[in-house]
């Protein structure tokens, strides 16, 4: 997910976040998550300056509300960002990257995720570094003065451009280098040479081919180090025999070298900052994929896959019975956890000490007959996935990527969802997914939706930035594990237990929801699961093998599952592990032999030579030309948050081509915000074809202007061919106005449903200015609060005040669409008559509040609310100054939330949970203003909290 969008919301006018990457700040033994954003500011005289903005953040940063500015580091002439290697750490192609940030006063260490996105980030930072031309003025960074805290420091009159700004005043953060980390630590020459010899063929296959051919087919590019692409100017500096000399250079000499060649001083950094792939390389790689069977053979490797829902517990027992007893040492470990931490802090603020506890427990319980290296760890709240590989195979792991998808409430909370790690093992692409789907027996449709959301939203950036992101399904092997939460239905608890006692798992499995859903092709189409020969893994009394004896007495179920998809996969075992009693779940494991494609170097060289020779013959062919199956697209009756898709096919001619949708003059994107093309760029071999989907989706960002008529469903897309011509695609349609995205005061003046009003009436009311009091100029008396808000709140008051996990568990998408249509058409009866989940109505209420262009507490009152947080009398005074309709809505919502709290014994809600959920919806930072620190965000929550705890 592009987290630069969240940072952009925090920036002032004239500031632009080029790219952002999530990393870990290392201070001694401390590890703290940080979001790093590269921010550009255009100066009045036409130049530009850059700075690194460091943010603390909650969960995945989706909006500006999720981040708080912690520190700013101006990118001055003495700024460097270089990779370092901890002493004694095994090098793994694809492991996390450690970088060191240095200025005259700062020394920071970060762990960044390996992958193309980090590569692009480091490349953009390198480009942002000012040159050393004496004629170029020293950057002044006056634009950053607004971020300096004036209360604790004197006014900014003269900049020391090397200093980092620590938000909130005080001195800049200057940590010491963590123990075991050397500046510019390098492999010795012998280790380097051996590693290059070992990795060279694989690296060449991944990136460049000329060294095999001995020719000059690539005039502007040369192999470097591991065969990666760099500028020609760096070739002499970066030959293997020169690396030892490098270690003796001064820091300034190294910095000059890095900047002149646009690469950093280590092998991993070469990969992370290599230049964009050329068209010829792309063609060769595509042909190699087509002919893969001509130069590879299948070799089996042993994979261990394990999943464990730990119910928020810390490790209390050795994990060896699960991870290593009774098996031979696996070559690869894929270990997943769910419910790592159930605390509110983990849910809302993402960080948890349990991550380190369980990582350590796993690492200490791996098979004792082998040495393993951690390749990757990825976590989303309580969902964590670990990937290890035997040391001797580490060099064959490449192109490691990791992503997360939250499917919790409003599609963003990470209490449910999935994490995934993808990588290349020899010549086989593998994706491992760990998911925790929606709970409760009756929620199988929600589980199906979670699965589909993970599949559609999980995307990995490719090493070649010209290629579209990879989805889960675009891998040779997929291993899917986790607490899928599918239950056993149509049998009562006692019948289930009796079948288990008789070990009649076949009869029991006939009633398994996952089996049923797979059979109807609702989920996991094309996947395979081994026979279930073990008893259900849920639900047990913690610390025992006894079934659930709590008041709820949950029926046993096979919640914890492992499935796979791909060729050359043999399952050797599939079992649960009853010996572990920490949780109310039992861990599950499966061992596989997976056939991986390994390259025969001689055959590879021969195939490559044939491809390049054939490519030479067509090098001077005609310019690229394609035909499009369709050029005009009409989207009729578009609705709020309803995905609409139109597709067309690109048919290529006789010349390989790269295509991309490009920006029109003076526009910042190739299309309007409500539209996207998937893929937006790609590559086609001769006579090949590709389907492109145009996806239209109206959300809170775009709905208001479509309601008001300031924007329309109209756009022109420009499809550009590299070395070829442009093609123009026309998009048209109409949007059905919705109460979602409509201002509060506008809705109060709409006594009729919005769908019954003319477009001109909707436009006039939407553009009507917000007044503190109704001036009586309108013919109809306004409603006190929007009727749509009353419908949802009244439904919840009548049906859901005792609903467990209200506002914490997501609803169903189809039900949201039904609720939206009921609100927009005024068909209130259909909302009550048709079965609708309480969770769906609750989520619709949150989405409604989030979509308001002016929040319930107006932007103008935001700072006053923070200042009087903790002073209930002053807070009430601020609310009294709100426009009448906004004040009415606030008071109505507080009264409803207080009713929910009266039933906290049943719904398990408390003031802190509701303040956290509603604080960011009712009290929002004005757009375009700098975000405040986390402590001030907590003040916003405290402001709401005091209204929940006090009577009106």
């Amino acid at each position: 997910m592009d987290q630069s969008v969240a940072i952009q919301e925090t920036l002032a006018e004239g500031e632009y976040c080029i790219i952002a990457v999530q990393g870990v700040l290392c201070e001694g033994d401390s590890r703290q998550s940080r979001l790093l954003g590269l921010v550009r500011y255009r100066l009045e005289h036409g130049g530009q300056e850059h700075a690194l903005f460091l943010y603390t953040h909650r969960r995945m940063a989706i909006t500006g509300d999720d981040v708080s500015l912690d520190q700013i580091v101006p990118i001055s002439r003495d700024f460097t960002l270089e990779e370092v290697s901890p002493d004694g750490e095994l090098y793994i192609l694809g492991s996390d990257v450690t970088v060191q940030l240095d200025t005259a006063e700062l020394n920071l260490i970060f762990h960044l995720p390996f992958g193309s996105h980090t590569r692009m980030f480091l490349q953009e930072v390198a480009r942002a570094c000012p040159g050393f031309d004496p004629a170029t003025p020293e950057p002044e960074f006056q634009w950053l003065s607004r971020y300096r805290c004036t209360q604790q420091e004197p006014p900014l009159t003269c900049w020391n451009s090397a200093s980092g700004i620590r938000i909130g005043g005080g001195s800049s953060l200057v940590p010491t280098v963590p123990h075991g980390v050397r500046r510019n630590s390098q492999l010795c020459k012998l280790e380097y040479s051996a590693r290059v010899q070992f990795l060279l063929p694989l690296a060449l296959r991944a990136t460049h081919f000329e060294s095999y051919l001995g020719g000059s087919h690539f005039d502007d590019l040369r192999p470097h180090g591991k065969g990666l692409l760099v500028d020609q100017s760096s070739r002499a500096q970066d030959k293997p025999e020169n690396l030892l000399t490098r270690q003796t250079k001064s820091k300034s000499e190294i910095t000059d070298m890095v900047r002149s060649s646009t690469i950093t001083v280590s092998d991993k950094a070469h990969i992370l900052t290599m230049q964009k792939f050329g068209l010829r390389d792309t063609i060769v790689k595509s042909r190699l994929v087509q002919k893969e069977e001509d130069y590879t053979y299948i070799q089996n490797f042993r994979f261990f896959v394990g999943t464990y829902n730990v119910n928020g517990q810390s490790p209390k027992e050795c994990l060896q019975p699960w991870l290593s007893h009774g098996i031979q040492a696996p070559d690869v470990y894929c270990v997943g956890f769910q419910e790592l931490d159930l605390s509110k802090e983990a849910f809302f603020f993402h960080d948890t000490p349990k991550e380190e506890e369980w990582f350590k427990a796993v690492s200490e319980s791996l098979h004792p007959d082998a040495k393993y290296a951690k390749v990757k760890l990825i976590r989303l709240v309580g969902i964590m996935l670990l990937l290890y590989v035997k040391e001797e195979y580490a060099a064959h792991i490449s192109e490691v990527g990791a992503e997360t998808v939250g499917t919790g409430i409003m599609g963003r909370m990470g209490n449910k969802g999935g994490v995934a790690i993808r990588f290349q093992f020899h010549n086989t692409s593998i994706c491992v997914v760990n998911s925790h789907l929606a709970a409760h027996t009756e929620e199988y449709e929600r589980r199906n939706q979670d699965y589909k959301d993970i599949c559609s939203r999980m995307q990995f950036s490719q090493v070649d930035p010209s290629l579209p992101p990879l989805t889960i399904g675009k891998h040779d092997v997929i291993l899917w594990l986790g607490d899928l939460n599918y239950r056993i239905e149509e049998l009562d608890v006692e019948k289930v237990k009796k079948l288990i006692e008789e070990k009649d798992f076949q009869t029991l499995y006939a009633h398994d929801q996952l089996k049923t859903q797979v059979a109807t092709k609702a989920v996991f189409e094309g996947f395979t699961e081994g026979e279930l020969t073990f008893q259900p893994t849920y639900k047990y009394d913690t610390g025992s093998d006894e079934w659930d004896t709590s008041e709820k007495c949950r029926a046993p179920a096979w919640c914890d599952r492992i499935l796979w998809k791909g060729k050359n996969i043999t399952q050797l075992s599939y079992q649960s592990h009853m010996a572990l009693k920490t949780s109310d779940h039992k861990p599950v494991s499966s061992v596989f032999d997976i056939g991986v494609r390994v390259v025969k170097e001689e055959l590879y060289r021969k195939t490559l030579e044939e491809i390049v020779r054939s490519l030479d013959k067509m090098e001077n062919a005609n310019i690229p030309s394609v035909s499009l199956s369709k050029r005009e697209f009409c989207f009729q009756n578009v609705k709020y948050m309803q995905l609409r898709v139109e597709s067309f096919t690109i048919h290529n001619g006789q010349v390989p081509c790269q295509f991309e949708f490009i920006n029109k003059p003076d526009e910042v994107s190739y299309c309007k915000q409500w539209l996207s093309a998937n893929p937006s760029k790609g590559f086609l071999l001769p006579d090949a074809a590709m389907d492109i989907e145009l996806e239209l989706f109206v959300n809170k960002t775009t709905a208001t202007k479509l309601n008001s008529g300031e924007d329309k469903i109209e756009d022109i897309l420009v499809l550009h061919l590299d070395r070829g011509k442009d093609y123009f695609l026309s998009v048209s349609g109409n949007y059905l106005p919705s109460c979602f995205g409509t201002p509060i005061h506008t809705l109060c003046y709409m006594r009729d449903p919005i769908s019954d009003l003319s477009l001109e009436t909707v436009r006039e009311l939407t553009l009507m200015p917000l007044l503190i009091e109704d001036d009586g100029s309108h013919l109809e008396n306004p409603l006190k609060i929007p009727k749509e808000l009353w419908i949802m709140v009244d439904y919840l008051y009548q049906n859901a005040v005792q609903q467990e996990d209200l506002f914490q568990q997501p609803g169903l998408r189809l039900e949201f669409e039904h609720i939206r249509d009921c609100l927009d058409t005024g068909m209130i009866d259909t909302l009550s008559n048709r079965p609708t989940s309480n969770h769906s109505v609750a989520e619709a209420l949150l989405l409604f509040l989030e979509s308001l262009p002016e929040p319930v507490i107006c932007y103008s009152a935001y700072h006053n609310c923070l200042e009087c947080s903790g002073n209930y009398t002053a807070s009430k005074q601020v609310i009294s100054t709100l426009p009448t309709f906004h004040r009415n809505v606030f008071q109505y919502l507080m009264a409803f939330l207080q009713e929910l709290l009266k039933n906290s014994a049943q719904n398990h809600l408390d003031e802190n949970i509701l303040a956290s959920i509603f604080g960011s919806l009712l009290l929002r930072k004005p757009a375009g203003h700098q975000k405040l620190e986390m402590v001030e965000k907590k003040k916003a929550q405290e402001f709401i909290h005091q209204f929940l705890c006090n009577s009106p």
Side-chain angles (χ1 to χ4, degrees):
M1 175 171 285
D2 183 8
Q3 300 185 76
S4 63
V5 176
I7 291 179
Q8 188 62 48
E9 291 185 16
T10 73
L11 300 179
E13 185 177 356
E15 299 168 3
Y16 175 69
C17 182
I18 299 171
I19 190 171
V21 64
Q22 185 173 322
V24 176
L25 174 63
C26 305
E27 302 179 62
D29 294 330
S30 172
R31 300 290 185 271
Q32 300 179 35
S33 183
R34 287 291 185 275
L35 188 62
L36 290 73
L38 176 61
V39 176
R40 179 186 67 213
Y41 180 78
R42 295 195 183 278
L43 303 172
E44 292 182 1
H45 56 70
Q48 56 187 27
E49 295 177 349
H50 298 80
L52 273 186
F53 282 46
L54 311 181
Y55 293 81
T56 58
H57 59 101
R58 302 188 298 177
R59 57 188 180 264
M60 178 67 69
I62 299 173
T63 70
D65 292 323
D66 296 328
V67 298
S68 290
L69 186 60
D70 177 64
Q71 187 175 8
I72 300 174
V73 183
I75 298 181
S76 56
R77 284 182 175 170
D78 66 352
F79 173 97
T80 62
L81 188 64
E82 302 171 346
E83 192 207 1
V84 293
S85 301
D87 289 333
E89 183 181 278
L90 177 71
Y91 173 82
I92 301 176
L93 186 62
S95 61
D96 288 349
V97 179
T98 302
V99 297
Q100 180 168 302
L101 186 158
D102 281 314
T103 68
E105 297 183 0
L106 281 177
N107 175 250
L108 305 178
I109 299 292
F110 294 94
H111 291 324
L112 303 181
F114 180 85
S116 59
H117 188 70
T118 292
R119 170 183 56 74
M120 287 188 284
F121 175 81
L122 295 179
Q123 187 174 12
E124 291 294 344
V125 171
R127 289 175 179 168
C129 291
F132 291 89
D133 184 357
T136 304
E138 182 76 23
E140 297 180 350
F141 301 108
Q142 292 292 341
W143 57 285
L144 294 178
S145 60
R146 68 173 65 90
Y147 297 103
R148 175 80 61 151
C149 178
T150 57
Q151 296 178 350
Q152 299 184 28
E153 297 182 343
L156 184 65
T157 57
C158 180
W159 273 90
N160 173 359
S161 62
S163 301
I165 308 170
R166 190 59 183 261
I167 304 306
S171 61
S172 298
L173 178 65
V174 187
T176 58
V177 181
H179 175 72
V181 176
R182 294 191 311 237
R183 185 170 304 200
N184 299 329
S185 174
Q186 295 289 322
L187 299 165
C188 72
K189 183 174 182 180
L190 179 62
E191 290 174 320
Y192 177 87
S193 299
R195 184 164 295 148
V196 170
Q197 291 170 11
F198 190 47
L199 286 176
L200 189 58
L202 176 64
L204 286 172
R205 286 195 296 279
T207 57
H208 202 54
F209 317 94
E210 185 196 6
S211 64
Y212 272 128
L213 304 178
S216 57
H217 300 286
F218 304 89
D219 295 333
D220 56 339
L221 300 170
R222 292 294 184 269
H224 172 280
K226 294 177 182 171
L228 301 166
L229 307 186
V230 298
D231 292 348
Q232 290 190 49
S233 60
S234 69
R235 278 183 290 150
Q237 295 165 329
D238 294 283
K239 291 178 181 178
E241 57 266 31
N242 291 337
L243 285 181
L244 272 182
T245 308
R246 229 188 217 185
Q247 298 176 43
T248 64
K249 291 180 180 288
S250 68
K251 178 179 173 181
S252 62
E253 290 176 308
I254 293 173
T255 302
D256 292 346
M257 185 192 311
V258 170
R259 288 183 176 150
S260 67
S261 62
T262 72
I263 62 170
T264 56
V265 293
S266 85
D267 307 313
K268 255 188 289 186
H270 294 171
I271 297 172
L272 296 173
T273 57
M274 64 188 180
Q275 301 299 307
K276 187 175 181 179
F277 285 68
L279 175 60
R280 187 184 178 100
D281 281 357
T282 305
I283 297 171
V284 173
K285 286 188 297 178
S286 298
R287 294 278 177 84
L288 282 171
V289 170
Q290 291 179 332
K291 295 177 175 290
E292 184 181 44
E293 293 188 2
D294 294 346
Y295 59 87
T296 61
Y297 65 94
I298 301 296
Q299 179 178 337
N300 279 337
F301 291 89
R302 186 67 50 91
F303 279 64
F304 176 98
V305 181
T307 179
Y308 194 6
N309 182 319
V310 297
N311 192 33
Q313 305 297 311
S314 294
K316 300 173 183 175
E317 52 195 346
C318 177
L319 302 182
Q320 285 184 346
W322 171 37
L323 299 176
S324 57
H325 282 181
I327 59 173
Q328 73 178 57
D331 300 314
V332 179
Y333 270 101
C334 311
V335 183
F337 293 95
Q338 306 84 39
E339 295 192 356
L340 204 72
D341 192 333
L342 298 177
S343 67
K344 297 180 182 68
E345 290 74 21
F347 182 74
F348 290 109
F349 301 104
H350 190 68
D351 291 328
T352 172
K354 300 277 179 72
E355 175 183 310
E356 185 65 26
E357 293 174 7
W358 282 102
F359 167 60
K360 182 179 179 182
V362 171
S363 299
E364 292 174 348
S365 299
L366 300 179
H367 206 288
D369 293 344
K371 290 185 178 181
Y372 294 91
K374 185 195 84 172
V375 177
K376 194 70 179 174
L377 181 156
I378 182 74
R379 182 176 63 82
L380 175 67
V381 187
I383 310 169
M384 184 168 79
L385 180 61
L386 288 160
L387 178 64
Y388 299 84
V389 65
K390 276 184 179 178
E391 285 189 356
E392 57 265 38
Y393 298 132
H396 296 287
I397 300 284
S398 63
E399 298 181 31
V400 179
E403 292 293 342
T404 67
V405 169
T407 60
I409 189 74
M410 299 173 72
R412 57 189 285 187
M413 293 296 193
N415 56 319
K416 293 293 188 290
V419 300
I421 299 173
R422 63 91 50 206
F423 57 99
Q424 194 84 6
F425 191 22
H426 285 281
N427 244 45
T428 295
S429 61
I430 300 174
C431 184
V432 186
V433 185
N434 174 22
S435 66
H436 190 191
L437 308 185
H440 307 303
T441 301
E442 68 279 4
E443 295 288 351
Y444 67 90
E445 288 184 348
R446 176 69 224 192
R447 288 187 274 281
N448 295 352
Q449 180 175 301
D450 287 350
Y451 165 80
K452 293 172 184 176
D453 282 349
I454 292 169
C455 289
S456 63
R457 291 167 50 198
M458 190 79 74
Q459 296 188 338
F460 306 90
S461 298
Q462 297 205 57
V463 174
D464 182 348
S466 69
L467 297 178
L470 286 172
T471 58
I472 293 172
K474 297 293 185 180
H475 291 81
D476 300 323
V477 173
I478 306 170
L479 302 172
W480 197 302
L481 58 108
D483 180 357
L484 307 187
N485 251 324
Y486 288 95
R487 308 301 174 91
I488 294 169
E489 56 188 0
E490 299 177 351
L491 296 176
D492 60 40
V493 175
E494 294 308 316
K495 178 63 174 178
V496 171
K497 291 180 179 178
K498 184 174 186 299
L499 291 172
I500 295 172
E501 186 178 346
E502 296 172 351
K503 297 192 181 301
D504 189 358
F505 299 138
Q506 187 172 355
T507 300
L508 195 61
Y509 182 58
H511 296 272
D512 176 69
Q513 285 182 338
L514 180 57
K515 175 184 181 296
T516 303
Q517 296 305 307
V518 170
T520 61
K521 297 185 178 181
V523 290
F524 291 103
E525 188 171 0
F527 280 80
T528 303
E529 184 183 21
E531 182 182 357
L532 295 172
T533 59
F534 51 91
Q535 69 183 47
T537 55
Y538 173 85
K539 179 182 183 181
Y540 296 86
D541 287 340
T542 301
S544 76
D545 294 332
E546 300 298 320
W547 298 116
D548 180 23
T549 59
S550 69
E551 181 180 349
K552 293 181 180 178
C553 193
R554 302 280 193 196
W558 284 296
C559 290
D560 310 282
R561 313 288 274 267
I562 297 170
L563 301 92
W564 74 91
K565 186 176 184 180
K567 298 178 180 179
N568 305 312
I569 303 174
T570 302
Q571 187 178 56
L572 304 179
S573 68
Y574 190 22
Q575 60 184 322
S576 65
H577 298 268
M578 299 294 292
L580 273 67
K581 308 182 193 307
T582 297
S583 172
D584 56 355
H585 289 247
K586 299 297 181 183
V588 171
S589 71
S590 182
V591 177
F592 298 94
D593 272 348
I594 298 181
V596 171
R597 288 201 171 273
V598 179
V599 171
K600 296 179 181 178
E601 298 303 334
E602 291 299 321
L603 292 178
Y604 173 77
R605 183 182 297 111
K606 179 181 177 182
T607 304
L608 181 56
E609 289 171 349
E610 292 173 353
I611 291 173
V612 174
R613 276 197 299 269
S614 67
L615 188 59
D616 289 341
K617 296 178 182 179
M618 56 179 288
E619 197 100 89
N620 298 319
N622 296 328
I623 62 172
S625 176
V626 301
S627 62
L628 308 181
S629 63
K630 190 176 181 181
R631 297 198 192 189
E632 295 183 355
F633 305 87
C634 185
F635 295 86
Q636 293 287 349
N637 299 329
V638 175
K639 296 182 178 181
Y640 183 80
M641 284 186 68
Q642 183 180 57
L643 179 65
R644 297 285 297 275
V645 179
E646 292 281 341
S647 62
F648 69 97
T649 304
I650 304 178
H651 296 274
N652 192 25
Q654 298 305 307
V655 181
C657 75
Q658 281 182 303
F659 67 87
E660 181 176 6
F661 288 96
I662 60 172
N663 300 358
K664 297 180 285 294
D666 302 322
E667 295 193 6
V668 297
S669 177
Y670 69 85
C671 65
K672 291 187 176 180
Q673 283 185 284
W674 37 260
L675 186 65
S676 64
N678 184 26
S680 62
K681 53 188 174 182
F683 168 77
L684 287 169
L685 288 169
D687 295 320
M690 182 179 294
D691 292 330
I692 306 292
E693 291 185 337
L694 298 183
E695 299 178 348
L696 195 156
F697 189 74
V698 176
N699 59 15
K700 60 178 182 178
T701 306
T702 54
T704 304
K705 287 190 175 181
L706 288 168
N707 277 348
S708 68
E710 296 171 276
D711 191 13
K712 296 180 179 179
I713 306 295
E714 293 178 358
D715 203 1
I716 299 292
L717 302 185
V718 181
L719 181 65
H720 173 72
L721 301 188
D722 187 27
R723 300 182 298 115
K725 66 176 185 178
D726 294 339
Y727 297 79
F728 297 90
L729 286 73
S730 171
V731 176
S732 62
N734 69 292
Y735 178 68
L736 299 179
S738 173
C739 63
F740 289 85
T742 300
I744 288 176
H745 67 287
T746 299
L747 291 172
C748 289
Y749 280 103
M750 291 181 178
R751 301 188 71 92
D752 294 324
I754 193 169
S755 65
D756 290 353
L757 302 177
S758 68
L759 294 178
E760 183 59 30
T761 301
V762 173
R763 180 181 181 278
E764 290 177 358
L765 291 175
T766 303
L767 295 175
M768 179 177 61
L770 174 61
L771 303 174
I772 297 298
E773 300 291 341
D774 176 32
D775 60 5
S777 61
H778 295 271
L779 296 178
E780 292 193 40
N781 292 325
L783 302 168
K784 292 186 179 297
I785 62 172
K787 57 188 177 301
E788 296 84 0
L789 175 66
W790 176 84
I791 291 170
M792 289 185 284
V793 170
D794 185 66
Y795 182 95
L796 294 172
Y797 179 74
Q798 299 293 337
N799 300 283
V801 290
Q802 296 186 359
Q803 177 69 57
E804 186 178 352
D805 296 330
L806 194 68
F807 294 117
Q808 297 173 83
Q809 181 174 319
L812 289 168
R813 185 167 297 122
L814 287 176
E815 290 188 350
F816 167 76
E817 294 176 358
H818 170 63
I819 295 166
R820 177 205 59 214
D821 291 346
C822 289
L823 298 177
D824 288 341
T825 60
M827 305 288 285
I828 303 175
D829 293 340
T830 60
L831 182 61
S832 302
N833 296 338
R834 174 175 163 179
T836 305
S837 164
N838 294 333
H839 296 299
S840 296
V841 178
E843 186 171 25
L845 174 59
L846 298 181
L847 290 169
F848 174 81
L849 296 173
E850 184 185 46
S851 73
L852 294 172
E854 183 83 21
V856 174
I857 299 176
C858 299
Y859 288 127
S860 59
Y862 183 85
H863 291 290
N864 289 337
C865 291
L866 293 185
E867 290 173 3
C868 66
S869 179
N871 184 332
Y872 184 50
T873 301
S875 298
K876 289 195 295 182
Q877 179 61 34
V878 173
I879 295 300
S880 70
T881 65
L882 295 177
T884 302
F885 304 122
H886 285 250
R887 184 171 67 247
N888 292 344
V889 168
F890 180 83
Q891 293 170 345
Y892 181 64
L893 286 172
M894 291 302 105
F896 168 61
L897 297 181
Q898 287 180 342
E899 287 298 317
L900 291 180
L901 292 172
K902 292 176 183 179
N903 294 271
S904 60
Q906 292 78 31
N907 58 37
H908 299 160
L909 292 171
D910 61 32
E911 295 89 345
N912 292 324
I913 293 175
L914 291 178
S916 296
I917 294 171
F918 283 86
S920 61
L921 296 175
L922 305 182
L923 193 58
R924 282 189 253 146
K925 180 72 175 177
H929 289 246
Q930 178 55 46
K931 301 308 297 183
L932 301 176
E933 287 190 48
M934 185 65 73
V935 64
E936 292 176 308
K937 285 187 178 180
K938 290 182 177 179
K939 282 187 178 181
Q941 295 179 7
E942 184 181 355
F943 182 88
I944 302 299
H945 187 276
Q946 57 193 351
F947 285 92
L948 299 176
C949 297
N950 292 279
S951 300

